[in-house]
Amino acid sequence: MSFFVSLFEDKLADNREPWIRGLEIPGVVEGSFSVYAPEPGPWIQLAVIFGAQTLLQCIFAAVIYLAIIQNRGKQFTYFIGYGVIIPLICYLPFPILELLDIKSRVVRLALTTAPTIVGFRCMEAMHGTSPAVAETSLLHYVAYYTCLFDFYWDEKTKTRDKISASELGHSVYRIVCHFFLLSLIVSYLLYYDFKPFASAVELDQYHLTLELLEPGQLFNNYLYAVMTFFGLSLGWNLAALSTNLQGFRTVVPFHNPLWTSRSPSDFWGKKWNTTIHGILKRAAFQPVKKAGYSTSIAILATFAGSGVLHEYAWAIMFSSTTHDYDENGNCVGFCWYPLIGKQMVFFAWCGTTMLLERPVAKLPSVQWMSKNLPTVVISTLVVATVLPFAHWYPGDWIVSQYWHDYSVGLFKIGYEPA
């Protein structure tokens, strides 16, 4: 335990000195640039957090297999799942935060991995919607819990598919590209304090006014969407890399959703965070359908589940501990709390866009655009359906210094005017 306490004594503050100074681009930009090298601290802490959670996930997997899967259909399994396992795994991150006094919002977000895997896959186990091959043995089921990402299973051999050298190379290529692209966009937005275009919208509020439709706000939100995509893609691909390096093939979490989506269902169902899509499909959509409800109700239930998941992640990221207050109850750290329910509202709107997709797609103008416009233009129009409200998701991260914490592990480019 002392190892963990000493490791997390580093609060990952950004105390870097420039790695390179005085870079100039004559005739293009007046002034000079400085480059700050990434710190290894955030990545080391993340690796330890993921490793420790993997061991915990394996223990829960064995319990769920023996207690629930082998007794599926019996009433007491629902009590074990909903009454014991899910509440317990959802509670565990909070005493860990208290014990280790983790300050980095990025590392805090990583603590949601075990609750996500165990909580949702426990629901799969109760409702019989887990991948069939994963349930063929205790060993397979424990392996299923070692990674947040879905494995590709061979139905004939009942084993996990092996990753090819080409697929592994593409995974590493994505990580490298997104690392540098994220470094660039975070540096750019940090310089402008995350508002390169003028906007009166408060990023951590609902702010339901016509200001949401102003060009400056829409441009800012689009940049936030790009930053969020690169940030999540980098983190998730890095998390999958350890499994890929062991030789196993996993589902790619993102497929350039901002520029290749043809519809809202294509965006949310096939391109954006396919890992969470798969988890919610098996833990929410399929059980609701099995219960006899319509597809529309199942879609709304799925997005409601997504909203609950994100509200829970926000609770871990932004909860306070006793370390944040002095003996008089005054905040001595960074105390900030998001509006409760905002993620539920955001994902409710995203679900509504999917429900509206079929009737809207029948409109002649929409059919013409689908046939004649380039995919990148159609994808931008798809993103535009949520763009006025897009800051409801990353706005809290911006205000809470999440991206400042993330930038410590990236290259950062500073600009000094002439």
Side-chain angles (χ1 to χ4, degrees), residues 360-396:
V360 171
K362 296 177 181 179
L363 298 175
S365 58
V366 174
Q367 292 179 349
W368 181 90
M369 288 189 288
S370 179
K371 293 178 181 178
N372 295 280
L373 295 181
T375 295
V376 67
V377 176
I378 293 174
S379 189
T380 302
L381 293 174
V382 171
V383 173
T385 62
V386 296
L387 204 56
F389 320 107
H391 63 286
W392 288 353
Y393 185 109
D396 290 341

Side-chain angles (χ1 to χ4, degrees), residues 73 76 111 141 154 157 255 266 339-340:
F76 74 87
L111 279 172
Y141 197 70
D154 190 314
T157 63
H255 297 275
D266 188 34
L339 292 175
I340 296 174

Side-chain angles (χ1 to χ4, degrees), residues 17-291:
E17 293 294 327
W19 180 44
I20 301 174
R21 297 178 183 267
L23 289 176
E24 297 182 355
I25 308 178
V28 178
V29 178
E30 295 184 0
S32 62
F33 297 91
S34 298
V35 179
Y36 298 79
E39 289 283 350
W43 305 112
I44 294 172
Q45 290 190 9
L46 286 169
V48 171
I49 286 289
F50 281 122
Q53 287 183 107
T54 300
L55 294 176
L56 184 64
Q57 290 153 204
C58 291
I59 295 171
F60 273 95
V63 172
I64 291 169
Y65 184 84
L66 297 172
I68 295 178
I69 290 180
Q70 293 194 335
N71 297 285
R72 182 179 291 138
K74 297 179 181 179
Q75 290 299 316
F76 74 87
T77 61
Y78 295 100
F79 171 78
I80 294 173
Y82 286 116
V84 179
I85 291 176
I86 294 176
L88 178 60
I89 194 63
C90 289
Y91 168 75
L92 281 178
F94 296 99
I96 293 173
L97 290 176
E98 181 66 38
L99 174 66
L100 301 179
D101 187 25
I102 299 172
K103 298 299 185 188
S104 170
R105 309 291 180 184
V106 179
V107 180
R108 280 171 165 247
L109 180 60
L111 279 172
T112 63
T113 304
T116 300
I117 291 177
V118 174
F120 282 107
R121 290 180 181 170
C122 181
M123 294 171 67
E124 296 174 13
M126 289 184 288
H127 296 284
T129 54
S130 304
V133 178
E135 293 188 357
T136 53
S137 71
L138 175 60
L139 184 61
H140 282 166
Y141 197 70
V142 171
Y144 178 47
Y145 277 63
T146 59
C147 184
L148 178 61
F149 307 90
D150 288 341
F151 293 106
Y152 286 96
W153 297 88
D154 190 314
E155 295 289 341
K156 294 182 179 179
T157 63
K158 308 298 183 182
T159 58
R160 290 173 286 176
D161 282 357
K162 297 293 185 179
I163 191 171
S164 68
S166 174
E167 289 169 329
L168 181 59
H170 278 95
S171 179
V172 174
Y173 175 75
R174 277 193 303 272
I175 290 171
V176 173
C177 287
H178 289 182
F179 179 84
F180 285 104
L181 289 170
L182 181 63
S183 295
L184 287 172
I185 192 168
V186 170
S187 297
Y188 172 75
L189 289 171
L190 280 171
Y191 178 77
Y192 288 102
D193 196 24
F194 293 94
K195 282 199 173 182
F197 299 95
S199 172
V201 173
E202 297 179 45
L203 296 180
D204 59 342
Q205 303 296 319
Y206 281 106
H207 212 97
L208 291 171
T209 70
L210 291 178
E211 290 174 331
L212 295 178
L213 301 177
E214 291 181 354
Q217 173 64 12
L218 296 176
F219 287 137
N220 286 338
N221 275 2
Y222 188 81
L223 290 174
Y224 302 155
V226 173
M227 177 175 63
T228 302
F229 161 59
F230 285 137
L232 291 177
S233 179
L234 173 62
W236 287 65
N237 278 290
L238 277 171
L241 184 61
S242 61
T243 302
N244 298 148
L245 290 174
Q246 295 173 47
F248 298 112
R249 183 181 174 215
T250 54
V251 172
V252 177
F254 292 88
H255 297 275
N256 292 326
L258 298 177
W259 305 290
T260 62
S261 300
R262 301 285 302 181
S263 66
S265 60
D266 188 34
F267 182 95
W268 293 111
K270 299 178 182 178
K271 303 294 177 67
W272 181 271
N273 209 338
T274 57
T275 300
I276 294 298
H277 166 78
I279 288 173
L280 290 170
K281 180 179 179 179
R282 293 187 299 272
F285 183 87
Q286 290 178 353
V288 172
K289 287 285 290 182
K290 287 178 67 175

